[in-house]
Amino acid sequence: MLCVPAVRAADYTGPLFDAHLHYNVEAQGPYPLADVLARMQRSGVRAIVANSRPNDGTKLLASSPLTRQAGVTVVPFVRLYRDRADYDNWFRDESIHEMVLAELARGTAAGAFRGIGEFHLYDSRNANGAVAKKLMALAEQRDLAVLAHVDDPAIDLLMANTPSRGQKTRLIWAHTGIGGPSVARVDQLFARYPLLMGELSYRPGLACEGGKLCAQWRDLLLKYPSRFMIGSDTWVNQRWESYEDLMRGYRAWLGDLPPDVARRIGWENAASLFGVTIRP
Ligand SMILES: [Zn+2]
């Protein structure tokens, strides 16, 4: 009998685009800029979607020569939160709408803001809040991406509030549904909204034994190879502590995919959305 050793696909070794990164105020003391950039560098992260509470952390990343030296391209998003209290009120708070307009007008040292978010809706009905509606329409009109941490009913509600009813809306679904809607439901939403993309941090059901992709998810990623991206979601400091492990985890399951699909999800999908090329 021929014994075939278990073959483990090699990890993905190409560049990574961290499409869900926060550099919040409480991270900046224990994890100064040089430190977070070193973590990205050691992880092969060459570009990031940066947003922070408040927006100063994003501006710091965007303006520092250290970022350029680390070879990291910053794609800045406007965060809707000045502080923790804004999480539960942004969708009806006119002062948030005004802050977003002012930040968009100001831009960053790395160029214009390219998106809005991450924002949260803990109750999907708040997608119909006055400010949520205005921001969704604004995003589509200005060709801004939206990074939204919401459940699947809220995807339909947010999309309904855009001029194209979601047909031209660049919504990045944080965690592709942190509550774990079924693969069939994700598939249905991806079919309904052609520019909807899924970011995969914390996604329940994605990784199975040994950190490999679960079969259903592998099939979904292969069905929509241009629609997924990875992210660290450094929402608390512990995520900075484990940043390199998180990225190693992505590299492990990306290695289960055909190399071109791994590169798309790890890098290309986000890079082409924002027109980012790797700096030498
Ligand atoms: Zn987040």
Side-chain angles (χ1 to χ4, degrees):
M1 196 175 113
L2 189 69
C3 277
V4 181
V7 176
R8 191 185 155 96
D11 289 358
Y12 168 72
T13 56
L16 291 174
F17 196 125
D18 181 348
H20 184 160
L21 181 142
H22 308 288
Y23 193 38
N24 292 332
V25 61
E26 69 273 10
Q28 293 162 27
Y31 301 94
L33 198 58
D35 180 86
V36 296
L37 288 166
R39 288 169 198 269
M40 293 176 215
Q41 234 178 343
R42 289 195 295 268
S43 303
V45 169
R46 305 297 304 274
I48 56 175
V49 162
N51 69 103
S52 63
R53 163 181 44 76
N55 282 301
D56 307 36
T58 303
K59 291 173 191 168
L60 188 61
L61 275 164
S63 65
S64 174
L66 293 176
T67 310
R68 179 167 274 274
Q69 283 163 24
V72 174
T73 298
V74 174
V75 175
F77 275 32
V78 183
R79 192 103 207 244
L80 307 188
Y81 308 148
R82 298 157 297 197
D83 52 41
R84 283 262 170 209
D86 286 335
Y87 282 60
D88 297 313
N89 211 42
W90 67 269
F91 43 82
R92 58 179 159 232
D93 184 341
E94 181 54 33
S95 72
I96 299 279
H97 180 233
E98 284 162 15
M99 176 191 75
V100 171
L101 292 176
E103 292 289 2
L104 290 175
R106 207 173 291 137
T108 76
F113 283 102
R114 306 296 305 278
I116 292 172
E118 181 194 24
F119 63 68
H120 298 72
L121 287 173
Y122 301 113
D123 179 343
S124 52
R125 289 172 300 182
N126 290 327
N128 288 326
V131 169
K133 281 186 173 181
K134 277 199 263 196
L135 290 177
M136 286 306 295
L138 176 80
E140 187 176 301
Q141 283 153 359
R142 298 203 187 179
D143 203 22
L144 297 165
V146 172
L147 180 59
H149 174 130
V150 298
D151 60 14
D152 54 299
I155 296 289
D156 284 319
L157 294 172
L158 289 169
M159 293 298 203
N161 291 331
T162 64
S164 72
R165 301 190 70 77
Q167 296 307 297
K168 294 180 181 168
T169 316
R170 298 192 179 280
L171 197 154
I172 302 169
W173 192 3
H175 322 297
T176 320
I178 203 158
S182 70
V183 165
R185 175 67 170 145
V186 174
D187 189 345
Q188 181 189 54
L189 291 169
F190 272 49
R192 189 174 292 165
Y193 305 112
L195 303 183
L196 175 64
M197 303 196 65
E199 180 275 322
L200 292 167
S201 61
Y202 285 106
R203 169 66 219 197
L206 180 74
C208 277
E209 217 183 304
K212 289 184 163 278
L213 284 170
C214 304
Q216 269 196 317
W217 269 92
R218 189 172 193 279
D219 292 347
L220 189 70
L221 299 186
L222 290 172
K223 182 171 179 181
Y224 296 104
S226 60
R227 307 280 291 275
F228 288 98
M229 46 183 80
I230 61 107
S232 59
D233 191 11
T234 44
W235 67 289
V236 286
N237 287 353
Q238 188 274 330
R239 298 285 283 185
W240 280 117
E241 199 53 46
S242 54
Y243 192 89
E244 288 160 79
D245 285 337
L246 289 167
M247 293 301 143
R248 264 193 294 273
Y250 283 125
R251 290 188 180 282
W253 67 246
L254 285 170
D256 297 342
L257 293 164
D260 61 316
V261 177
R263 190 177 167 98
R264 283 202 212 182
I265 295 171
W267 170 261
E268 195 62 43
N269 292 340
S272 62
L273 177 58
F274 299 113
V276 172
T277 48
I278 293 188
R279 290 186 189 145

